[in-house]
Amino acid sequence: MFLAAVSMLWRRWGRRILPLLLGLAWPLCAPAAQVTIEPKIGFGGVFQLGRPFPLEVCLHNIGRTVEGVVEVEAWKRGAPPAGAYPVRYQRDVFLPSRAQRTLAFTVNAELLSRPLVIRFNATHGSASHTLDLRSHFSPAPLVLSVSGGGTLPLTSLAASFTNRIVSLAAAGLPSDARALAGVSHLLLYDQSLRDLTRWQLQALDDWLVAGGRMIIVASLNFALYQEPKLARFVPARVTGVTRIRFTDPAAAGASPAIEGVWAHTVSGVSGRTQIAAEGLPLLVENEWGRGRVSYLALDAGRPPLAGWAGLPQFLQTLLAPASELSPAPRPRWDEALFSRLLLSSWFVDAYIPTRALFFAILLYLCGLAVLLLKWRRQRGAPRTLALWCCGWMVGCAAAGYGYFSRGGQMPEGVLLGATVMDETDGDYVEVQTNLALFSTRPRDYSLGFGPSWLELAPLPQPHAAAPAEQAAPAVMYRHLGAATRVQLPLESFGHQLLRARHVERAGLNTRIEQHDGVLHLEVNNRSGSDLTDCWLIAPGLRVALGELPSGGSLRKALPLHAADAPAAEQPRQADTGGSLRALRFKDKTRDLLFQDAFFAYAATAALWTGPTAVFIGWFKNPQPRAEVGDPRVRTEQYTLYRAIVSLPSEDE
Amino acid sequence: MNAVLHEHVTVFFSQRHGLPALFYPLGLLALIEFLLLTPMFLDAQAWRGAGSLFKLCAAIAVVLTIYFTLRAANLAYAPERFKPLKYWLHERGYPVGVVARGQVSFLLVHAAATLLLIVPLLVWAGAISHTPPAALAATLALIAFYTVCYGVWGLAGLALCEREVDTREMVSRGFTVLLMVIAMLVYFPLNPIVYVLAVASATEPGRFSIAGVDWPPAVANIAFHLAYGAAGLAAHRWALARLR
């Protein structure tokens, strides 16, 4: 009977249920994910110590499909008392069964004594890999040589050339400009860039703008140099090739000329021609933001030039380290200044409900007074009054708790950005952004900085009482596609200070010149934002220039001697530094930022040893330099544009 | 209702002689809480001021409730209106236990009323400081606990020197302060203010080590105060028995 029933059930349901049960049981029986990690560090295994470098993490999965997180832990050298602190980089990854994925990171490790740790964490399985950095670092910046068909004789450069030269395929160029920070020169020879992605090209562009040096060496395949992706960097229009007679310019006629050297014929030169022969520009240099592109129109990889004994020396002159541009004065940014900034009423009123608390206390006490009065006049039974009293207390406590913890306009955090844009050559400005993130609640923040930032450093918190591990910032860089966000966990009423730097095209251009005791100022504003509170400060001169609207320009010629200037424009202080310190703005926050951050005396004192002229202007509605992506976090941004120009002294 | 408790409640609440013991802590705490949030009283770290509001208010509440409960237990308010202990023990012939229960019950009623009055202020401070609800509840419970533990020594003082109002107040307060200082010297978090500050800020103080055994701070503090409160109750009983 029983067997018959089982047999009937099997016939009716068994065939349908069995595949389902097997399907459900399969994940339990399937092998766990087996992931191995294979890293590729820097460029050909080399990176410059102290600078960000690319790290490729190749994951091989020979187990089941898995989804997890790859985390890279590097160590940075922090200031006391925090000391060294870890920085983590994370990227989500989905690994199908029996597949491999390569993930690109840009890592900044400053300590060699601690290894780089790469971890893969998933629900079903994990893996880790430790990398000793001591065998990979180079103290000097790297020179990258990217060549397609031919090769340049770089191996015979003089021994005095200490930079490591790394040969690289074009596909190996990183997609993040920060990864190129440890590269001084990029040498392109006979190489097409057509296969580079948009992000790789953007990274090259950003790296050049930030101060990189690109050397493009001509080859017989002149069509390569006409491709749009490479042609945008070449400071001339390549039209063809020809053979010329080349004489070493350094030898000044002492060495014999080389006959039949292959050279590009060009037109429309857009840079400075440094060397020319037979009417052809042979070496053209073009400024690119703070960087430079040098174009050598000679084919140095083919005979007869490849066999020239003076070629290594000639190439080494092209690879000479760039003369350091005078760095823009660093704004002061520390906890003391941040405390003073946050004491301004706009901030304190935003989250300290003094007024609301006053009225709440008043209402509560009034209610108690009324109940007490009723009791005194013996209106109502004592028990009823006692119950009313208890109800009033409990009700007030609950209502107040609800209001003060969730109600009102109290922001969950404040992101304060203080940015100073320094004029550089051309339309580019160096942007230094100081950020302070303050949280009124314990929560995680995710900061986005846009694609082109080059440096981002959290500042350790110098609490004397805090232990070292608490003072160290817990920063995590989370790579999400092409963008990188900074994850910051903050405690209630905690804060974190950060500094960021990048170079961008601002559309602002300032020219200050001195002729015959008259200062000529010309400012063109094509930035898309109005400038307000503009000032020109020079020795014996301080002039309020008012507003400079977007699209407008300003031209002024002002006598430098105070006696010639109108009385209102005569400062008491004769030197520029003194005049700047006496400058005041209506907005107290601007005042504080100007005096104590952007033109802090200790940071800028060295500027005022000689005669200097300064043009400044505040952006009217500046765009936030960083975003949290949460409307509950209030964002305040202040941006100052400044151009500091050294004037010739009286003797000059 | 216990006759002693009834008499105390009547004098304190119905005749309103004990209201200062209830409203002084309320008024003082309200004033201090408001001033703590006023920028002129905030220091250079003003932007963090709201973060420590609850801690400071809780510490002040501990001091205020202990002080005013000690005074109330000492019957420092309108002492002439209370019948002397000998009346209850000899003329009415109540056993020591009944009188003790009545006085302890009054102490509990007073502590509960004081705490209820200041609870809204503490809860608001906790909300402004974004104190976790657990820390808020623990702090309120600790304040009530300390109030009772220290308050019983007020009853003991009353039973020991009933006739000299000033002496018993001085003895009760002096003994409490001395004990707090000695306890703090032995182990810092034994002090109620220090421990409430730690609980309100959700931090863990260092562990208490004695004879090679590590005691968690919560256990050390609560055990100490339980012992202190029990000793106060025993002293109160003993003093009442002595009067009999």
Side-chain angles (χ1 to χ4, degrees):
Chain A
M1 184 70 181
F2 174 73
L3 286 174
V6 169
S7 168
M8 191 192 73
L9 279 173
W10 169 249
R11 278 202 304 275
R12 183 171 290 179
W13 296 107
R15 288 174 197 171
R16 296 177 195 174
I17 291 172
L18 191 63
L20 183 69
L21 287 175
L22 283 173
L24 287 172
W26 170 248
L28 301 174
C29 308
Q34 290 177 19
V35 177
T36 54
I37 298 171
E38 195 182 310
K40 282 182 192 165
I41 189 167
F43 299 97
V46 188
F47 69 93
Q48 189 195 356
L49 184 63
R51 295 298 183 107
F53 58 86
L55 176 75
E56 279 189 4
V57 177
C58 192
L59 300 171
H60 302 267
N61 181 19
I62 54 169
R64 58 187 286 195
T65 299
V66 69
E67 193 170 358
V69 177
V70 176
E71 183 180 288
V72 179
E73 184 186 275
W75 285 81
K76 292 198 80 167
R77 194 189 306 275
Y85 63 94
V87 179
R88 294 182 177 88
Y89 304 84
Q90 272 194 354
R91 201 181 265 276
D92 293 329
V93 63
F94 175 77
L95 269 177
S97 180
R98 300 189 179 282
Q100 78 170 52
R101 286 281 307 273
T102 302
L103 306 174
F105 291 88
T106 302
V107 178
N108 191 0
E110 292 175 346
L111 278 187
L112 291 174
S113 54
R114 308 220 191 196
L116 194 81
V117 182
I118 305 164
R119 297 187 194 92
F120 171 75
N121 295 315
T123 319
H124 305 290
S126 60
S128 74
H129 187 98
T130 305
L131 201 61
D132 189 349
L133 297 174
R134 284 173 293 190
S135 55
H136 294 280
F137 83 97
S138 158
L142 309 180
V143 173
L144 295 187
S145 168
V146 182
S147 55
T151 50
L152 287 173
L154 296 171
T155 47
S156 52
L157 292 181
S160 60
F161 191 74
T162 53
N163 300 52
R164 288 276 288 269
I165 300 170
V166 181
S167 292
L168 197 72
L173 287 170
S175 308
D176 184 356
R178 288 186 297 277
L180 288 162
V183 175
S184 64
H185 293 80
L186 173 67
L187 206 63
L188 288 174
Y189 171 67
D190 201 19
Q191 174 65 52
S192 166
L193 298 185
R194 84 167 76 90
D195 293 332
L196 290 195
T197 63
R198 186 163 64 95
W199 299 112
Q200 284 174 306
L201 282 171
Q202 184 62 47
L204 280 182
D205 192 82
D206 290 342
W207 168 71
L208 277 173
V209 162
R213 297 281 188 273
M214 182 187 275
I215 299 161
I216 303 170
V217 181
S219 85
L220 202 56
N221 302 322
F222 72 92
L224 292 177
Y225 299 78
Q226 294 172 334
E227 287 172 3
K229 284 184 177 174
L230 181 57
R232 66 193 288 262
F233 293 111
V234 179
R237 197 157 59 81
V238 179
T239 53
V241 284
T242 185
R243 280 179 175 268
I244 63 159
R245 189 165 179 268
F246 173 70
T247 313
D248 183 6
S255 64
I258 309 163
E259 298 288 342
V261 174
W262 289 104
H264 281 177
T265 55
V266 296
S267 64
V269 174
S270 57
R272 286 191 312 276
T273 302
Q274 302 289 357
I275 303 171
E278 298 179 14
L280 286 176
L282 298 185
L283 180 63
V284 182
E285 287 186 347
N286 188 24
E287 303 296 329
W288 199 287
R290 300 198 87 174
R292 183 184 298 162
V293 176
S294 303
Y295 166 60
L296 179 66
L298 299 169
D299 189 340
R302 281 187 176 77
L305 198 60
W308 175 42
L311 183 62
Q313 190 62 38
F314 181 68
L315 287 176
Q316 198 169 327
T317 57
L318 297 181
L319 295 172
S323 57
E324 282 292 322
L325 293 169
S326 56
R330 295 282 272 181
R332 181 186 150 210
W333 197 240
D334 53 32
E335 202 173 63
L337 179 64
F338 175 62
S339 307
R340 290 177 63 196
L341 280 170
L342 292 190
L343 272 178
S344 42
S345 58
W346 65 264
F347 176 75
V348 171
D349 289 350
Y351 80 96
I352 301 185
T354 314
R355 205 169 299 152
L357 182 69
F358 173 76
F359 284 114
I361 290 173
L362 199 66
L363 184 71
Y364 175 57
L365 294 181
C366 285
L368 286 178
V370 168
L371 289 168
L372 201 65
L373 213 64
K374 280 197 162 195
W375 189 11
R376 197 168 179 177
R377 290 180 184 169
Q378 296 182 341
R379 289 183 188 168
R383 189 169 293 180
T384 315
L385 281 174
L387 279 175
W388 265 103
C389 216
C390 288
W392 177 244
M393 292 170 202
V394 173
C396 281
Y401 185 81
Y403 177 78
F404 289 117
S405 61
R406 281 186 291 275
Q409 298 297 314
M410 195 187 297
E412 287 197 3
V414 175
L415 177 64
L416 178 72
T419 300
V420 60
M421 288 181 169
D422 282 290
E423 164 84 10
T424 60
D425 294 336
D427 280 349
Y428 291 92
V429 287
E430 183 180 340
V431 184
Q432 299 182 71
T433 300
N434 301 300
L435 291 163
L437 183 59
F438 173 76
S439 181
T440 59
R441 288 162 196 276
R443 57 167 282 180
D444 285 338
Y445 288 86
S446 171
L447 264 77
F449 288 86
S452 60
W453 57 272
L454 293 166
E455 276 179 29
L456 176 70
L459 304 181
Q461 297 176 14
H463 295 312
E469 59 270 23
Q470 280 180 24
V475 182
M476 182 183 288
Y477 297 85
R478 195 158 176 81
H479 297 270
L480 303 159
T484 301
R485 296 186 76 85
V486 179
Q487 307 284 119
L488 277 173
L490 285 182
E491 293 297 317
S492 187
F493 295 94
H495 72 284
Q496 179 65 58
L497 303 181
L498 301 109
R499 277 180 189 275
R501 185 183 77 86
H502 70 277
V503 180
E504 69 177 24
R505 195 189 287 269
L508 269 161
N509 197 292
T510 303
R511 220 177 66 212
I512 302 174
E513 286 169 359
Q514 183 190 348
H515 300 297
D516 305 327
V518 178
L519 199 67
H520 297 270
L521 168 76
E522 185 181 343
V523 188
N524 296 305
N525 180 10
R526 296 184 305 279
S527 64
S529 299
D530 298 346
L531 285 181
T532 65
D533 258 341
C534 297
W535 286 82
L536 175 68
I537 300 111
L541 188 74
R542 191 172 69 225
V543 189
L545 299 168
E547 289 206 6
L548 178 57
S550 172
S553 52
L554 187 73
R555 282 183 190 82
K556 286 261 181 186
L558 297 155
L560 258 180
H561 303 293
D564 304 336
E569 296 169 357
Q570 290 178 17
R572 282 184 197 166
Q573 294 78 8
D575 66 318
T576 311
S579 292
L580 281 169
R581 281 191 293 282
L583 202 59
R584 289 286 177 271
F585 300 95
K586 285 177 191 167
D587 184 335
K588 282 188 176 174
T589 310
R590 279 186 184 174
D591 223 20
L592 190 61
L593 282 173
F594 186 84
Q595 296 294 341
D596 292 348
F598 301 149
F599 285 96
Y601 180 70
T604 57
L607 281 173
W608 321 124
T609 49
T612 313
V614 179
F615 171 80
I616 58 148
W618 290 92
F619 277 82
K620 204 169 192 176
N621 296 307
Q623 289 297 311
R625 291 280 151 183
E627 48 83 20
V628 183
D630 187 344
R632 290 169 297 179
V633 178
R634 185 171 164 173
T635 304
E636 293 284 333
Q637 176 69 42
Y638 292 86
T639 305
L640 179 87
Y641 169 75
R642 70 182 176 191
I644 302 173
V645 177
S646 292
L647 300 173
S649 61
E650 284 180 9
D651 302 340
E652 289 169 308
Chain B
M1 189 192 275
N2 185 302
V4 180
L5 172 65
H6 185 263
E7 187 233 17
H8 282 32
V9 168
T10 307
V11 174
F12 248 77
F13 297 105
S14 302
Q15 295 173 11
R16 297 181 295 277
H17 290 295
L19 290 189
L22 292 174
F23 284 93
Y24 280 161
L26 173 69
L28 284 170
L29 189 64
L31 183 70
I32 291 168
E33 184 170 336
F34 173 69
L35 290 179
L36 281 175
L37 272 197
T38 314
M40 63 179 175
F41 284 89
L42 295 171
D43 61 353
Q45 301 276 314
W47 41 281
R48 285 189 184 163
S52 49
L53 180 70
F54 179 65
K55 278 192 294 185
L56 295 174
C57 285
I60 291 161
V62 168
V63 175
L64 289 173
T65 51
I66 288 176
Y67 175 76
F68 284 100
T69 307
L70 266 179
R71 290 206 73 193
N74 271 165
L75 303 183
Y77 300 96
E80 69 284 351
R81 296 200 170 254
F82 295 97
K83 292 188 177 70
L85 287 171
K86 282 187 178 166
Y87 167 80
W88 301 108
L89 294 169
H90 296 294
E91 291 183 29
R92 298 291 292 267
Y94 285 151
V96 170
V98 172
V99 177
R101 267 199 302 279
Q103 288 194 320
V104 171
S105 304
F106 167 69
L107 177 75
L108 293 175
V109 168
H110 180 268
T114 311
L115 207 68
L116 255 178
L117 275 172
I118 61 167
V119 151
L121 299 179
L122 290 173
V123 166
W124 298 345
I128 292 168
S129 305
H130 302 302
T131 308
L136 185 66
T139 309
L140 293 177
L142 270 179
I143 294 172
F145 174 64
Y146 291 141
T147 306
V148 175
C149 288
Y150 285 93
V152 291
W153 281 95
L155 297 179
L158 174 71
L160 280 169
C161 349
E162 196 193 11
R163 285 187 185 171
E164 297 118 27
V165 178
D166 293 337
T167 312
R168 75 182 181 226
E169 275 198 54
M170 284 305 294
V171 166
S172 300
R173 283 182 224 164
F175 181 68
T176 305
V177 171
L178 187 71
L179 192 105
M180 280 185 177
V181 171
I182 290 171
M184 201 161 66
L185 291 176
V186 173
Y187 175 51
F188 203 59
L190 282 186
N191 184 290
I193 300 165
V194 173
Y195 193 66
V196 157
L197 280 173
V199 170
S201 53
T203 53
E204 179 86 350
R207 294 171 80 87
F208 178 51
S209 184
I210 186 163
V213 181
D214 268 0
W215 293 74
V219 172
N221 186 285
I222 289 169
F224 168 74
H225 281 99
L226 275 176
Y228 179 62
L233 280 176
H236 178 224
R237 280 267 182 153
W238 174 77
L240 285 176
R242 208 183 59 158
L243 284 174
R244 195 169 177 94

